[in-house]
Amino acid sequence: MTRLLRNPIVLGVLAILLLILLVSTVSIVPETKQAVIVRFGEPVRVINSYQDGAGYGYGGAGLVARIPFVEQIHWIDKRVLSLEMDNQPVLSTDQLRLEVDAFARFRIRDPLRMYVASRTEENLVNQLKPILASALRNEFGRRPSAALLTPERGQMMEYGAEIVDVRIKRADLPTGTPLDNTYERMRTARQQVAASIEAEGNRQAQVIRAEADAEAAAIYAGAFNRDPEFYDFYRAMQSYRISFLGTQANGQRGRSSVILSPNNDYLRQFRGGR
């Protein structure tokens, strides 16, 4: 036995075995990881799990011991993780079909439940994507435009994950025929609005014109009642200006020829009103 212990090859093998035993027994849990200890395929405990308000150094990170070759460690990230959702088709309340790029940030709060439900973070992301996509479509279905989203947090917690934030990166109309149809509907809607505004403007113009004509008629009537002779003279001068000079009410001039006898009643103002 002593001879074997003096053999450098035997010593090297023993050192390697001791190193393997040490590595299988002692592990270092970093601050950014949560460790799920699994024994014969069943999770038995969690080390350095996430706690609200707990700072670094207070969650159990550091050296941990486990039964060698019986217990294994599955690492789960303790930080906030990201999930990308690209080209999600949604339909808003105003029947606009959009393609939305969004992203979600989530944290694994219950690593034990997450391990039981998903095993790995990759599986968790694949399970969360359809839930978030459905929440995204439901949110757009209740709103006419993009808004901050609040996914169904209870359903997320079934996987041991908490959704921290969901934001929209881009919302565009789909290309091709749907885009052309959407533009055509928008153009038709704007034309209808313009026609409605124009019709309302014409109606108000007619009302204003009628009120102005009525006010002018009232002024003329008042002037006639106060001084009929002056009113008759004023009206005659306006008629002469239009007839002889071709000047219209808007100031434009035209051409006209009038042949009358000197004794015509139309020219009585030139004779002093007689």
Side-chain angles (χ1 to χ4, degrees):
M1 185 68 180
T2 304
R3 185 180 301 174
L4 289 176
L5 292 177
R6 292 178 180 177
N7 191 324
I9 298 177
V10 175
L11 291 176
V13 172
L14 290 176
I16 293 174
L17 292 177
L18 288 174
L19 182 60
I20 294 175
L21 182 62
L22 179 64
V23 172
S24 302
T25 303
V26 179
S27 298
I28 299 176
V29 180
E31 290 285 354
T32 59
K33 295 292 184 180
Q34 305 174 85
V36 178
I37 307 300
V38 179
R39 182 184 303 164
F40 300 116
E42 294 295 330
V44 293
R45 65 183 186 276
V46 178
I47 300 174
N48 196 34
S49 61
Y50 174 80
Q51 298 177 7
D52 290 329
Y56 286 103
Y58 296 94
L63 290 175
V64 295
R66 55 193 170 97
I67 302 175
F69 310 112
V70 176
E71 295 180 343
Q72 291 80 37
I73 296 181
H74 285 266
W75 301 105
I76 296 175
D77 209 315
K78 193 176 181 179
R79 297 167 295 184
V80 175
L81 306 177
S82 297
L83 185 156
E84 299 286 338
M85 295 177 291
D86 297 331
N87 296 328
Q88 297 295 322
V90 297
L91 187 67
S92 61
T93 54
D94 47 4
Q95 300 303 308
L96 285 180
R97 187 175 299 276
L98 305 173
E99 288 183 355
V100 176
D101 288 347
F103 71 92
R105 297 190 300 165
F106 67 96
R107 177 186 287 115
I108 299 174
R109 295 176 57 93
D110 191 338
L112 190 62
R113 180 176 295 181
M114 176 266 172
Y115 177 80
V116 173
S118 307
R119 296 292 178 178
T120 65
E121 294 176 8
E122 182 179 358
N123 292 339
L124 174 65
V125 169
N126 293 333
Q127 291 169 339
L128 291 181
K129 274 187 177 181
I131 298 175
L132 290 172
S134 177
L136 191 69
R137 288 191 294 268
N138 291 339
E139 188 68 22
F140 269 90
R142 294 194 299 265
R143 298 175 182 270
S145 59
L148 293 176
L149 306 179
T150 305
E152 302 172 357
R153 297 176 182 268
Q155 192 172 5
M156 304 302 175
M157 287 304 296
E158 294 180 2
Y159 299 97
E162 176 197 25
I163 298 300
V164 177
D165 191 17
V166 178
R167 294 184 183 274
I168 297 170
K169 296 190 298 183
R170 182 181 62 87
D172 291 334
L173 293 170
T175 59
T177 302
L179 179 61
D180 297 336
N181 294 339
T182 301
Y183 281 150
E184 185 61 30
R185 287 198 301 270
M186 294 174 62
R187 186 182 299 108
T188 301
R190 297 301 181 271
Q191 289 175 349
Q192 292 175 350
V193 171
S196 177
I197 295 175
E198 183 179 4
E200 179 64 18
N202 292 334
R203 186 188 68 80
Q204 293 182 2
Q206 292 177 354
V207 172
I208 294 173
R209 191 179 297 111
E211 292 176 351
D213 292 342
E215 185 177 357
I219 293 173
Y220 288 150
F224 179 79
N225 292 331
R226 291 181 181 180
D227 192 345
E229 293 183 356
F230 174 78
Y231 180 76
D232 184 62
F233 172 77
Y234 175 75
R235 295 290 294 173
M237 293 300 102
Q238 286 186 322
S239 178
Y240 293 158
R241 183 187 61 182
I242 296 174
S243 300
F244 300 144
L245 299 179
T247 303
Q248 301 176 0
N250 57 7
Q252 297 180 353
R253 292 193 175 188
R255 295 182 179 181
S256 61
S257 298
V258 179
I259 300 176
L260 298 172
S261 65
N263 297 326
N264 191 288
D265 187 62
Y266 181 69
L267 302 177
R268 68 180 183 278
Q269 294 296 339
F270 287 106
R271 301 192 298 271
R274 298 188 297 273

